[in-house]
Amino acid sequence: MSEYRIWECQVCAWIYDEAKGCPEEGIAAGTRWEDIPQEWTCPECGVSKADFEMVALSGAASGSTKTESATAADELEYSIWECQVCSWVYDESKGWPDEGIAPGTRWQDIPADWLCPECGVSKTDFDMREIKRIAVTTAAAKVLPDVAPVVAIQSESIAAQAPIVIIGSGLAAYNLVKEIRKLDQTCAIQIYTSDDGNFYSKPLLSTGFAKNKSAAELVGQTAEQMAEQYQLHIHIFTRITAIDTHTKQIVVGNNGSVQPYSKLVIATGATCIQPPLAGSGLHKVHSVNNLLDYARFRTLAKPKQKILIIGAGLIGSEYANDLLHAGYQVEVVDPMPTVLASLLPTVASESVERALRLAGARFHFGTVVQQVDNHQDGVLVKLSNQQKLEADLVLSAIGVRPNMALAQAANLVTDRGIVTDKYLQTSASDVYAIGDCAQVENHLLFYILPLLAQVRALAKTLTGNSSPVHYPVMPVMVKTTLFPVVVNPPPRQQDGSLVPGEWVIEQASDLGVKALYRQGNQLLGFALTGDQVSAKAVLERQCPALMP
């Protein structure tokens, strides 16, 4: 019988190995990918099966033993496993001869009682970090790397061509690169980013405390690895200071050097909205919007006990859930009457609030933080209702705002975001915007699924097949694992208000809420909490596409 396969989430790099299954989600070892229900979603970031790709064969055959062989043109894929305690690495292609493990020995073929040579922990404390492809020439019995020569050939053959230039290195930028490379393996691509360029899944930032993940452990691939794998040039810690849409150039850094482009993609994301605060303790107020923010906040929070969160919307609720799981005392302040108030009807919001309260969260609704002062080793927070709260640190999580300064300086049309048409093109020819900074046909959506739809369409356009983006029904999974939430927000009008309709509560109990937003007989949206989230697959088939 055929070998088991390994599938990787293209958003967060979570791995599904058919040989192992996913027992914690009721998927038994040996379950084939095609036998997993279509409505199943990634346990890490919530995207669908369509956002996974097969990356390797597991090496474990189902029912028979298979001997691997290679012809002169073959490639073999090996997994690299890293100890989560001491970072020691096991490379299947090299094995570990010191302990009698021959080169080429697959991870699953190492005895279950084997221990890490460095720190002595078991196999269960290892995670697969990457897939390694090795070209094999049987005639010479020689293993050759297959990437470096391609990079060299590329740099010589396309050096004279203006590249596709991408500003930013977040999920939007890197997923666009992945989609382009599926269609064109040789076009020149350059990325400019103000940070270290490491690839990671941003949704994992609000689950890192519960999983005790360091910033380094959230990195899927380094910038160097991404550049090698996808044959691109990445300029890290580099700022773009201007865009000249007439000469099709960007200005790099403060020295005024220029980089021509054939197509320009703005993927600058969004920044955290900062509340207007006063006081002597503002240096203890933090926001987490990227991996460097997460590393800083996690380091500061490690010895602390009590965190005050400003905001009980999607971001604030997810961080409250994460910090509660990690054992912190959590206080939450928000001017709305309950959590997730802008996303859910009141009865659904209150069901989530109850679950978070039972886990230890303390909420202060109908008021805002006005002042944060130093107090002993922490802070004293003054609210607008005159209440005072003590905490060790403050986490501001009141939302994000698109980064538009570069686009505005280039005289691109902006509104709530950088305005684009359905082809993701801005008001300037050959300049596009994607991700959190893009306002597509009046839609400004800070979620993963719209981003994935954008990059798939834009990759086709950039490689010669002009393609508009379409938004199907795209439910949002809020990562409040203490009480799960799935919401398909009803459409909004130009002024931001909901289209005419009403919330109908079909089910409400301590175990969960099922709320439907109807316009007559037409279902336009839904909100599910607790044990009712299982209705997602049925309901989303009844809702209209967000942007046909």
Side-chain angles (χ1 to χ4, degrees), residues 123-196:
K123 285 179 67 179
T124 58
D125 293 305
F126 279 69
D127 280 350
M128 195 183 81
R129 305 305 297 173
E130 62 180 289
I131 300 294
K132 175 180 181 180
R133 294 177 176 86
I134 294 182
V136 179
T137 55
T138 54
K142 183 179 182 182
V143 177
L144 298 173
D146 65 335
V147 177
V150 177
V151 174
I153 292 170
Q154 177 186 344
S155 63
E156 293 173 6
S157 62
I158 63 177
Q161 301 178 23
I164 296 172
V165 171
I166 304 172
I167 304 175
S169 63
L171 277 179
Y174 278 138
N175 276 285
L176 175 61
V177 167
K178 293 179 180 182
E179 293 298 322
I180 292 174
R181 284 295 179 241
K182 293 177 184 177
L183 305 171
D184 188 328
Q185 289 75 48
T186 61
C187 68
I189 305 175
Q190 296 205 20
I191 284 181
Y192 287 83
T193 178
S194 59
D195 61 22
D196 58 13

Side-chain angles (χ1 to χ4, degrees), residues 174 196-198 221-229 232 234 236:
Y174 278 138
D196 58 13
N198 287 337
Q221 288 179 283
T222 65
E224 182 179 4
Q225 290 168 332
M226 292 296 289
E228 183 179 44
Q229 181 173 352
L232 59 145
I234 303 177
I236 63 175

Side-chain angles (χ1 to χ4, degrees), residues 30-214:
T31 301
R32 297 294 186 177
W33 182 250
E34 55 269 22
D35 294 331
I36 297 175
Q38 285 303 310
E39 63 270 19
W40 178 86
T41 56
C42 173
E44 285 287 342
C45 67
V47 297
S48 69
K49 285 180 67 179
D51 298 306
F52 279 70
E53 288 188 355
M54 195 188 84
V55 295
L57 295 176
S58 175
S62 57
S64 66
T65 302
K66 180 176 178 180
T67 303
E68 291 180 318
S69 62
T71 67
D74 280 346
E75 288 184 344
L76 294 179
E77 292 184 331
Y78 293 96
S79 301
I80 294 177
W81 295 77
E82 182 182 42
C83 176
Q84 297 304 291
V85 176
C86 70
S87 299
W88 184 85
V89 169
Y90 175 76
D91 184 336
E92 290 180 341
S93 67
K94 298 177 181 178
W96 189 242
D98 290 355
E99 293 195 5
I101 301 175
T105 301
R106 299 296 186 179
W107 181 251
Q108 57 267 24
D109 295 330
I110 296 175
D113 58 353
W114 178 85
L115 302 176
C116 173
E118 281 290 324
C119 67
V121 298
S122 68
K123 285 179 67 179
T124 58
D125 293 305
F126 279 69
D127 280 350
M128 195 183 81
R129 305 305 297 173
E130 62 180 289
I131 300 294
K132 175 180 181 180
R133 294 177 176 86
I134 294 182
V136 179
T137 55
T138 54
K142 183 179 182 182
V143 177
L144 298 173
D146 65 335
V147 177
V150 177
V151 174
I153 292 170
Q154 177 186 344
S155 63
E156 293 173 6
S157 62
I158 63 177
Q161 301 178 23
I164 296 172
V165 171
I166 304 172
I167 304 175
S169 63
L171 277 179
Y174 278 138
N175 276 285
L176 175 61
V177 167
K178 293 179 180 182
E179 293 298 322
I180 292 174
R181 284 295 179 241
K182 293 177 184 177
L183 305 171
D184 188 328
Q185 289 75 48
T186 61
C187 68
I189 305 175
Q190 296 205 20
I191 284 181
Y192 287 83
T193 178
S194 59
D195 61 22
D196 58 13
N198 287 337
F199 173 65
Y200 67 98
S201 177
K202 190 173 180 179
L204 300 187
L205 295 179
S206 57
T207 64
F209 278 87
K211 296 177 181 178
N212 196 27
K213 293 284 189 179
S214 68

Side-chain angles (χ1 to χ4, degrees), residues 162-431:
I164 296 172
V165 171
I166 304 172
I167 304 175
S169 63
L171 277 179
Y174 278 138
N175 276 285
L176 175 61
V177 167
K178 293 179 180 182
E179 293 298 322
I180 292 174
R181 284 295 179 241
K182 293 177 184 177
L183 305 171
D184 188 328
Q185 289 75 48
T186 61
C187 68
I189 305 175
Q190 296 205 20
I191 284 181
Y192 287 83
T193 178
S194 59
D195 61 22
D196 58 13
N198 287 337
F199 173 65
Y200 67 98
S201 177
K202 190 173 180 179
L204 300 187
L205 295 179
S206 57
T207 64
F209 278 87
K211 296 177 181 178
N212 196 27
K213 293 284 189 179
S214 68
E217 289 172 318
L218 295 181
V219 174
Q221 288 179 283
T222 65
E224 182 179 4
Q225 290 168 332
M226 292 296 289
E228 183 179 44
Q229 181 173 352
Y230 295 102
Q231 303 175 37
L232 59 145
H233 296 283
I234 303 177
H235 306 264
I236 63 175
F237 299 116
T238 303
R239 291 191 177 275
I240 304 305
T241 56
I243 300 170
D244 189 330
T245 60
H246 300 292
T247 61
K248 297 181 70 170
Q249 294 179 329
I250 57 172
V251 180
V252 182
N254 297 321
N255 60 6
S257 63
V258 297
Q259 166 65 57
Y261 63 83
S262 59
K263 310 286 186 183
L264 177 66
V265 181
I266 303 173
T268 48
T271 54
C272 293
I273 299 171
Q274 300 301 326
L277 302 175
S280 61
L282 299 185
H283 61 289
K284 295 178 182 176
V285 179
H286 301 271
S287 298
V288 176
N289 192 46
N290 55 48
L291 201 59
L292 297 176
D293 291 341
Y294 174 81
R296 184 182 304 109
F297 183 69
R298 186 174 186 272
T299 300
L300 292 171
K302 203 170 185 69
K304 306 299 184 182
Q305 294 181 329
K306 190 173 185 180
I307 310 293
L308 184 142
I309 300 174
I310 303 176
L314 189 148
I315 300 172
S317 295
E318 289 188 346
Y319 277 117
N321 180 91
D322 192 37
L323 290 166
L324 287 167
H325 268 303
Y328 288 90
Q329 300 172 41
V330 175
E331 305 257 6
V332 184
V333 180
D334 195 282
M336 302 298 281
T338 185
V339 303
L340 299 167
S342 63
L343 275 178
L344 308 179
T346 301
V347 64
S349 295
E350 289 175 343
S351 71
V352 182
E353 178 192 333
R354 279 196 301 273
L356 294 175
R357 284 188 185 275
L358 285 172
R362 296 180 59 191
F363 291 98
H364 308 270
F365 293 119
T367 187
V368 297
V369 175
Q370 288 186 328
Q371 188 164 323
V372 180
D373 289 312
N374 287 319
H375 177 68
Q376 298 177 357
D377 291 333
V379 292
L380 184 65
V381 177
K382 181 180 178 182
L383 309 184
S384 59
N385 63 5
Q386 303 306 309
Q387 187 177 3
K388 294 181 180 180
L389 306 172
E390 293 184 15
D392 295 318
L393 289 173
V394 176
L395 178 62
S396 176
I398 60 175
V400 295
R401 181 180 292 120
N403 288 320
M404 300 186 292
L406 199 57
Q408 290 169 333
N411 294 317
L412 302 181
V413 175
T414 61
D415 183 22
R416 293 175 295 130
I418 302 172
V419 175
T420 81
D421 59 20
K422 291 184 72 171
Y423 294 86
L424 289 314
Q425 184 165 259
T426 68
S427 55
S429 178
D430 294 325
V431 179

